Amino acid sequence: MTSRRTFLTLAGGTVLAITLPKIVLADEENTPEKLIALNQIYGDGAKWVGVAIQYNKPLQAADLPRYHFLVQNRKVLGLYVTDSLENGAKNEGKFVILNLDPQDETANLLQKNPPSRPAKFKAGEKTDNSPEMKSVNGSVIINGRMFATDENRTAIADDFKQESWQDPATGKTVKYNLFVPKNYQFKESYPLVLFMHDAGITGKKTKAPLYQGLGAVVWASPAVQTQSPAFVLAPAFDEIVADDDGQTSDYLDAIINLIKYLATQYNIDTSRLYATGQSGGGMLAIAMNIRYPDFFAASYLVACQWDPAKVAPMAKNKLWISVSEDDNKAFPTQTGLTQELEKQGAKVARAVWDARWSQEEFQQAYDQLTAADANVYFVAFRKGSVFADGENSSNPGAGHMNTWKYAYSIAPVRDWLLSQRKSV
């Protein structure tokens, strides 16, 4: 067996250097056919976390210790042989999978555009700040042959389809991402989760809500779908949908009408419609609950705010509110909002959690909080806990934006949302 050092130039000038083994099996060469970049979505966005090397004939796992693989400027955490990208390690297969460290500085794939938005948003204002999703692209020359390596696969996000729909009532054309449950059958009914992104990625890129964090994709993850198969709807807004003055754009009614339309195309359980959103998307969810208080079974509101004087219509709704004590606007406003809901007859249960707890700690805290059997749960992330060790917390907006980095990773809160049903 001999080895060849191969260099792959990626977008942005990054060089992927891999030592690819040439293997002789039954007097025939076994050479790589393609390289596939494997990406994954985390709370802080999309990252390049692996490389799949596809050979034209199966390799034996027992032979791997003799091979040396190197990815320049990246830490390889492990490698294995498999027979399919959907399967784990096997004794033999045509794929060698390299697992890369997601903490590497060069792992991040989300390229944010320079801010072009004004200091203060106005509902209905057009803007384009949606981030670019960098591709791990290039080509490999092996033994004088060129191999295409421009294939990228992003776990879960690739399972969403991109659509557009024009609302005849408002005239709005809604671009959206839709996840249809795997093995969907019309004879069975399914819930739907609506995720609405923040103002910071407002723009023309339909897929941007899928790449910026977990808010959309987590509901389509195998961990969630195994327990509760559900549709996931993630619209992409090209204008500000809700502003700090309590104004909303026509997208509010257009999204409600889109859900009604989708319910005619698929067997969607209208007693199990859920709304969630972060920052401006959460504000739009609040406005929807006020205008259509009987539409959603429950809502998960993350790092958002609204005028407490306007929330009375949603006092009976099932709400979970997550906000950071480091959020100088959303935390005091949500505190006042929940106080007003209480005055209007809502039963509110409150707690302070650490955003970096383990899932076991979150579960214990959840069990304790939900024992109150309230219809509104208000959880504040303890001051400083939305910042990683050594992270600079001096940026006044960091406490706000870091909230959703953690909020959608809490399993019992997701389970709470999907367990709610609208009273008939």
Side-chain angles (χ1 to χ4, degrees):
M1 181 192 73
T2 61
S3 298
R4 289 177 173 79
R5 179 55 95 43
T6 301
F7 294 93
L8 163 62
T9 302
L10 309 177
T14 302
V15 176
L16 171 65
I18 302 179
T19 301
L20 296 165
K22 183 179 77 172
I23 305 163
V24 178
L25 294 176
D27 297 325
E28 293 181 1
E29 286 192 342
N30 187 14
T31 57
E33 293 184 330
K34 72 166 76 170
L35 272 70
I36 304 168
L38 304 178
N39 309 321
Q40 187 171 332
I41 311 298
Y42 291 79
D44 54 353
K47 297 186 179 185
W48 174 32
V49 296
V51 178
I53 306 171
Q54 182 177 353
Y55 286 84
N56 59 9
K57 290 185 179 296
L59 291 87
Q60 299 296 318
D63 292 331
L64 277 182
R66 295 187 293 163
Y67 306 155
H68 178 66
F69 297 90
L70 172 68
V71 181
Q72 189 173 9
N73 299 321
R74 296 300 302 273
K75 181 180 180 181
V76 179
L77 299 178
L79 69 162
Y80 60 89
V81 167
T82 186
D83 57 355
S84 168
L85 296 186
E86 288 71 38
N87 294 335
K90 300 289 183 178
N91 290 327
E92 76 169 18
K94 288 187 176 183
F95 293 92
V96 173
I97 308 297
L98 308 182
N99 292 326
L100 307 180
D101 190 345
Q103 301 303 318
D104 290 343
E105 185 177 347
T106 54
N108 295 320
L109 294 177
L110 214 59
Q111 180 66 53
K112 295 186 177 181
N113 295 326
S116 61
R117 58 187 185 273
K120 188 171 183 179
F121 296 125
K122 297 295 292 183
E125 183 174 17
K126 298 287 185 180
T127 184
D128 188 4
N129 292 289
S130 51
E132 297 278 0
M133 170 73 168
K134 294 187 293 183
S135 295
V136 184
N137 297 331
S139 60
V140 172
I141 298 177
I142 303 175
N143 201 23
R145 294 176 59 193
M146 181 81 71
F147 294 86
T149 57
D150 57 354
E151 183 174 351
N152 284 257
R153 300 193 185 183
T154 304
I156 305 175
D158 288 347
D159 296 329
F160 283 76
K161 59 182 181 178
Q162 287 67 53
E163 303 281 0
S164 64
W165 176 77
Q166 185 171 30
D167 177 23
T170 64
K172 284 286 188 186
T173 297
V174 183
K175 294 182 179 180
Y176 62 93
N177 303 278
L178 182 68
F179 176 85
V180 178
K182 295 182 178 180
N183 303 317
Y184 165 76
Q185 297 182 23
F186 190 80
K187 64 182 180 180
E188 299 180 17
S189 63
Y190 301 78
L192 179 144
V193 179
L194 165 67
F195 168 75
M196 292 173 285
H197 64 76
D198 58 285
I201 67 160
T202 303
K204 300 178 181 179
K205 298 176 180 66
T206 304
K207 291 185 177 182
L210 304 179
Y211 296 143
Q212 72 158 149
L214 293 173
V217 298
V218 72
W219 308 100
S221 66
V224 174
Q225 289 287 319
T226 298
Q227 293 187 350
S228 183
F231 285 83
V232 185
L233 172 64
F237 301 120
D238 59 1
E239 66 185 29
I240 302 304
V241 293
D243 62 30
D244 290 347
D245 295 326
Q247 302 299 312
T248 59
S249 83
D250 288 341
Y251 271 118
L252 188 157
D253 293 308
I255 298 302
I256 296 293
N257 294 336
L258 171 59
I259 294 173
K260 293 178 180 178
Y261 165 75
L262 291 174
T264 69
Q265 305 300 301
Y266 300 96
N267 192 354
I268 293 173
D269 185 350
T270 55
S271 71
R272 297 186 65 198
L273 301 176
Y274 309 108
T276 184
Q278 58 201 33
S279 192
M283 292 163 65
L284 188 60
I286 294 175
M288 287 176 171
N289 273 275
I290 292 171
R291 189 175 299 183
Y292 301 98
D294 298 321
F295 193 77
F296 296 106
S299 298
Y300 184 25
L301 311 174
V302 178
C304 54
Q305 57 186 320
W306 207 250
D307 183 355
K310 298 180 180 179
V311 300
M314 56 188 273
K316 295 183 179 180
N317 290 12
K318 297 174 182 178
L319 309 171
W320 193 290
I321 301 168
S322 291
V323 67
S324 169
E325 290 183 340
D326 288 291
D327 194 329
N328 296 330
K329 294 180 69 175
F331 176 61
T333 305
Q334 287 287 33
T335 299
L337 184 151
T338 52
Q339 290 172 345
E340 181 60 30
L341 288 175
E342 215 163 20
K343 290 179 183 177
Q344 299 297 327
K347 185 175 181 180
V348 181
R350 299 173 175 84
V352 177
W353 291 0
D354 190 306
R356 290 183 286 170
W357 275 344
S358 66
Q359 289 299 328
E360 291 75 14
E361 290 170 312
F362 279 128
Q363 186 65 57
Q364 292 175 4
Y366 170 86
D367 292 340
Q368 182 177 358
L369 180 62
T370 54
D373 194 24
N375 68 300
V376 178
Y377 295 99
F378 179 39
V379 171
F381 290 140
R382 183 175 293 114
K383 194 171 183 63
S385 69
V386 297
F387 299 104
D389 293 336
E391 185 177 357
N392 183 5
S393 61
S394 60
N395 183 342
H400 173 65
M401 293 183 291
N402 278 21
T403 304
W404 55 81
K405 176 180 177 181
Y406 295 94
Y408 288 104
S409 66
I410 305 173
V413 178
R414 300 195 305 261
D415 294 342
W416 173 87
L417 187 74
L418 291 168
S419 68
Q420 305 305 310
R421 286 184 178 271
K422 186 169 58 177
S423 301
V424 179

